[in-house]
Amino acid sequence: MKLAAIDIGSNAARLQISTVLHVDDVISFKRVEYVRFPLRLGHDVFTFGKLTPESEARTTKLMEVYRLLMELHEVEDYMACATSAMRESQNGHEVSARIKQATGIDIHIIDGQKEAEIINNVVVQALDERQYLHIDVGGGSTELNVYLNRQKVASKSFKIGSVRLLEGKETKGAWQKMESWINENVDKSQKIMAVGTGGNINKIFNLVTKFSDNTTTLDEIIRMKNYIAGFSLDDRINKLRLNADRADVIIPASDIYISVMQWAGAANIIVPDLGLRDGIIQLVYNRLLKKQSKK
C-alpha cells in the first residue's frame, strides 16, 4: 500500500509517496518518491498580502503533476496541507477552491498549531526522557515545541521564517517574542537538546562535522553558516552546488536556529530528517485504519 503527502510551504511544495511496511506487527514507512518544486508563494503573500494569478497558475500546474504521479504510483490515499503563506494570503481559500476544481487536489490550509501537532507525531519518536526544544523553520513561520519525558509541555508558532526574513517582512517584535517565550518555557536548570527539522537545517547538517549519525553542535552550525555566508549567491549555487531557492534562504534560516539554540542554552542539535510530510503520511495511515475499523 502506498500513501502520499503534499506539503505546500512558503518556499517550496513537496510531494512524498511512501510504501507502508509491516514487519512483526511493527509499521514503518519507506519513501519511494520525493519531488520538491520552489513555488515561492511567500514572496507574493509577504509582499502583496495575497497570491498573484501567476502563482496560482503555477501551483495549479504543479498539483496536476502531483496528481498524475500519485496515479502512476497507485496511491491509495493522500493529504495535501498548505502552511504559512497560504493561510496568511487574503485569497488563500479562494485559490485552494479553484485548484480543487481544476485538479481534484483538496488542499487543507492548516494553522500553526495544527502544523506543529502533525510534525510532533513523528518527531516525538526520536526522543527520550530528556528535555528537548524542537525547532521547525519554514519559509513563513517557525514552530517551537518543548518536550520533557517524551511529552510536549509547551508549543508556539511565530511569524518568522526564512523567506519572510529574506523579504524583510518579519512581524515587528517577533525576535523578542520568541526569546521571551523560550525564557518562560525552557527549564534552564536542566540540560536541553535541540531538535531541528526543515529543509535548511537538513542541508546544513549534510555539510557540517558530526559526532553521531544525526547530531552536531551549535558551534558547527555557526561555523557552516559563516562559511556559506562568505560566498556570493552565484558561488553558493555554482561552487557549493546549492539549489537557487536554497542558496538565498539558508542564511536567514540558520540565524533562526542559531538564535533559538543560544537563547535556550542548547549546545547540541539532533537533525532526524523528519518533517511535516512525514507527519502527514502518518496522519493518512491513521485515517485509513479508522475507516477500515468502521467497515
Side-chain angles (χ1 to χ4, degrees):
M1 177 171 62
K2 291 180 183 178
L3 307 175
I6 297 174
D7 168 13
I8 304 170
S10 300
N11 190 34
R14 305 162 182 85
L15 167 69
Q16 179 172 312
I17 299 174
S18 296
T19 297
V20 181
L21 302 177
H22 302 261
V23 180
D24 298 329
D25 295 327
V26 176
I27 304 299
S28 61
F29 305 98
K30 179 184 178 183
R31 189 184 307 174
V32 295
E33 183 75 77
Y34 176 69
V35 182
R36 176 183 181 276
F37 188 85
L39 286 173
R40 277 287 166 95
L41 301 183
H43 172 76
D44 284 359
V45 177
F46 306 144
T47 304
F48 310 115
K50 62 182 181 180
L51 297 167
T52 62
E54 292 78 13
S55 284
E56 179 178 343
R58 279 158 51 88
T59 306
T60 302
K61 286 181 181 179
L62 186 62
M63 291 306 104
E64 181 64 18
V65 170
Y66 286 176
R67 184 186 66 79
L68 291 170
L69 272 172
M70 289 192 292
E71 283 186 10
L72 286 169
H73 276 280
E74 299 180 340
V75 165
E76 185 161 334
D77 200 2
Y78 80 96
M79 186 174 184
C81 293
T83 56
S84 182
M86 226 178 221
R87 70 176 170 245
E88 290 185 39
S89 174
Q90 296 170 13
N91 60 349
H93 288 281
E94 298 168 22
V95 168
S96 66
R98 287 194 291 268
I99 290 173
K100 182 179 180 180
Q101 187 174 19
T103 68
I105 299 292
D106 187 9
I107 299 171
H108 300 266
I109 301 176
I110 58 174
D111 60 26
Q113 184 176 356
K114 183 65 175 179
E115 182 179 356
E117 178 187 322
I118 294 172
I119 300 169
N120 166 71
N121 290 336
V122 288
V123 169
V124 71
Q125 298 169 22
L127 309 182
D128 55 28
E129 289 72 24
R130 291 176 292 176
Q131 182 179 213
Y132 291 89
L133 176 59
H134 172 217
I135 312 162
D136 183 73
V137 178
S141 64
T142 294
E143 274 64 51
L144 299 182
N145 303 283
V146 179
Y147 297 89
L148 188 62
N149 295 319
R150 302 185 80 239
Q151 297 294 319
K152 185 161 62 175
V153 297
S155 179
K156 184 73 173 177
S157 179
F158 297 88
K159 289 185 179 180
I160 186 167
S162 58
V163 176
R164 200 187 292 269
L165 285 177
L166 185 68
E167 302 283 347
K169 302 296 182 180
E170 66 270 24
T171 304
K172 185 178 180 181
W175 287 106
Q176 292 84 351
K177 288 177 182 177
M178 190 182 292
E179 182 178 8
S180 296
W181 187 88
I182 290 168
N183 290 334
E184 291 170 6
N185 291 280
V186 170
D187 183 358
K188 295 186 180 179
S189 67
Q190 294 188 48
K191 185 177 180 181
I192 188 163
M193 172 80 80
V195 181
T197 55
N200 287 294
I201 194 65
N202 287 334
K203 176 55 67 175
I204 293 167
F205 186 73
N206 288 339
L207 299 172
V208 299
T209 301
K210 308 165 185 65
F211 61 78
S212 80
D213 288 343
N214 65 355
T215 309
T216 191
T217 65
L218 171 60
D219 288 343
E220 269 297 293
I221 300 295
I222 294 172
R223 183 187 69 81
M224 185 52 60
K225 178 247 178 174
N226 291 335
Y227 174 75
I228 295 171
F231 289 83
S232 67
L233 189 60
D234 284 344
D235 283 346
R236 290 179 204 172
I237 296 168
N238 293 301
K239 292 183 178 180
L240 300 183
R241 303 179 71 83
L242 297 177
N243 291 337
D245 67 299
R246 180 75 68 205
D248 56 355
V249 297
I250 196 167
I251 299 303
S254 300
D255 287 336
I256 299 174
Y257 289 106
I258 290 167
S259 296
V260 170
M261 289 181 70
Q262 288 175 332
W263 292 332
N268 301 314
I269 184 169
I270 296 171
V271 184
D273 192 22
L274 294 169
L276 181 63
R277 61 191 183 274
D278 300 284
I280 294 172
I281 293 283
Q282 180 73 60
L283 199 64
V284 172
Y285 179 72
N286 292 341
R287 186 173 67 187
L288 270 180
L289 285 184
K290 286 182 181 179
K291 285 181 182 178
Q292 291 172 359
S293 66
K294 291 179 181 178
K295 290 180 179 179

